[in-house]
């Protein structure tokens, strides 16, 4: 297959069908694409846009960027959604999946217009679904936080509903805490019992203290001997003094 000729024929056909909604992309190639390939942009066709506006889906818009790979259509083209408006992240992912599925189904054939038609059909189906406000991530996070806070406040106001499942869960926690408390109390009682002395031990300790405080017989006898010795010494000194006085009186007489 002459891939270059096949690709040129497809470009001419797209220009004839899409007219002003088809153009070669100016400027640098999209991120990840080679700068050597020609890139093209396909916008939402005017007729389809008007029809979707009547159905209330005019806010959903995007551009389909594509480039032929060297072996296209025997290999997948490069495809990228750009300038997406009015679509949530889920919408973008769903649309990308539609395009990827069509690429796999049409491998070996010129498929760009088929991809555009499938994308337009998906947008029309999406337009029949009631539109939801598309929030930016920060606003969506804020609303989720407010909703959770409101739920918790209502739960605190009315209490937690008791069900068989929640009661069983609570009972397990209660039994575990009670067993832990009993084990701690048993350990404390064992420590107290170990530190406490028996009546016999108390009596023996008191008796030992009394014996230590009373003087022994040897100490008592020693104290008495010292007292007697001191008394004899005092009497001997007194007798000497009286003998001296008599000698002095006799000498004077």
């Amino acid at each position: 297959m002459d891939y270059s000729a096949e690709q040129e024929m497809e470009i001419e056909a797209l220009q004839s069908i899409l007219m002003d909604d088809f153009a070669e992309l100016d400027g640098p190639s999209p991120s990840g694409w080679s700068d050597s390939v020609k890139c093209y942009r396909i916008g939402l066709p005017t007729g389809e846009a008007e029809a979707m506006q009547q159905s209330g889906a005019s806010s959903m818009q995007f551009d389909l960027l594509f480039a032929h790979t060297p072996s296209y259509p025997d290999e997948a083209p490069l495809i990228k959604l750009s300038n997406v408006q009015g679509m949530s992240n889920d919408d973008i992912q769903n649309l990308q999946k539609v395009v990827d599925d069509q690429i796999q189904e049409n491998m070996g054939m010129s498929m760009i217009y088929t991809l555009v038609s499938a994308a337009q059909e998906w947008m029309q189906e999406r337009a029949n679904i009631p539109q939801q406000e598309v929030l930016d991530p920060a606003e969506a996070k804020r609303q989720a936080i407010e909703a959770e806070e409101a739920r918790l406040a209502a739960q605190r106001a009315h209490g937690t509903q008791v069900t068989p499942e929640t009661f069983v869960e609570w009972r397990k926690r209660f039994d575990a805490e009670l067993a832990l408390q009993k084990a701690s109390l048993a350990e404390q009682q064992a420590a107290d019992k170990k530190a406490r002395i028996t009546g016999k031990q108390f009596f023996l300790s008191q008796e030992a203290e009394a014996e230590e405080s009373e003087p022994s017989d040897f100490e008592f006898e020693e104290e008495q001997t010292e007292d007697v010795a001191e008394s004899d010494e005092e009497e001997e000194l007194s007798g000497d003094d009286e003998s001296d006085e008599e000698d002095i009186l006799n000498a004077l007489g």
Side-chain angles (χ1 to χ4, degrees):
M1 178 185 293
D2 187 344
Y3 295 117
S4 296
E6 187 76 16
Q7 294 168 13
E8 288 178 2
M9 290 176 57
E10 184 176 41
I11 295 299
E12 292 177 359
L14 292 173
Q15 288 174 334
S16 299
I17 297 172
L18 301 175
M19 301 177 63
D20 294 339
D21 296 309
F22 178 87
E24 186 173 348
L25 189 64
D26 295 331
S29 300
S31 176
W33 294 12
S34 174
D35 292 332
S36 62
V37 298
K38 289 185 178 181
C39 302
Y40 300 91
R41 179 191 64 82
I42 299 175
L44 187 67
T46 304
E48 295 293 343
E50 292 176 353
M52 295 184 70
Q53 183 176 8
Q54 294 176 0
S55 65
S58 58
S59 61
M60 297 177 63
Q61 300 179 17
F62 71 96
D63 291 337
L64 181 69
L65 308 182
F66 79 92
H68 289 138
T69 50
S71 299
Y72 173 86
D74 286 339
E75 65 175 329
L78 300 176
I79 296 291
K80 184 179 181 64
L81 302 180
S82 178
N83 297 328
V84 178
Q85 300 179 18
M87 298 170 63
S88 66
N89 290 335
D90 289 341
D91 288 336
I92 296 174
Q93 292 177 1
N94 291 335
L95 177 57
Q96 184 67 56
K97 185 178 185 305
V98 169
V99 174
D100 292 341
D101 290 345
Q102 288 297 316
I103 291 174
Q104 297 301 319
E105 292 178 7
N106 291 275
M107 196 72 72
M109 298 181 293
S110 297
M111 65 180 77
I112 300 301
Y113 187 75
T114 301
L115 302 182
V116 174
S117 299
Q120 291 173 352
E121 182 178 353
W122 176 88
M123 292 183 69
Q124 290 175 343
E125 293 177 354
R126 177 67 179 81
N128 294 327
I129 301 175
Q131 295 293 303
Q132 297 180 353
E133 183 180 1
V134 179
L135 302 177
D136 60 66
E139 179 64 17
K141 182 177 180 180
R142 185 187 66 81
Q143 291 190 6
I145 292 174
E146 290 181 352
E148 179 64 14
E149 290 177 349
R151 185 187 68 81
L152 293 176
Q155 188 179 72
R156 287 191 296 267
H158 299 87
T160 303
Q161 184 178 4
V162 178
T163 63
E165 292 78 10
T166 58
F167 176 77
V168 170
E169 183 179 356
W170 169 84
R171 187 55 188 261
K172 288 180 179 179
R173 293 198 305 268
F174 175 79
D175 291 343
E177 292 175 358
L178 184 61
L180 184 61
Q181 292 177 359
K182 287 182 177 179
S184 178
L185 181 60
E187 292 178 359
Q188 184 63 37
Q189 290 177 345
D192 293 344
K193 184 176 181 181
K194 185 176 182 181
R196 191 186 310 123
I197 63 175
T198 64
K200 181 178 180 181
Q201 291 173 332
F202 177 77
F203 175 77
L204 294 176
S205 64
Q206 293 295 107
E207 186 178 29
E209 291 177 0
E211 290 177 354
E212 292 177 357
S213 61
E214 293 178 357
S216 63
D217 293 340
F218 175 77
E219 291 176 348
F220 181 72
E221 290 177 357
E222 184 177 6
E223 290 178 359
Q224 286 182 336
T225 303
E226 291 177 355
D227 292 342
V228 170
E230 290 177 358
S231 177
D232 292 342
E233 184 177 354
E234 289 176 357
E235 290 179 357
E236 182 179 351
L237 292 175
S238 177
D240 292 342
D241 290 340
E242 291 177 358
S243 177
D244 291 339
E245 289 178 359
E246 289 178 358
D247 292 340
I248 291 172
L249 291 175
N250 290 332
L252 292 176

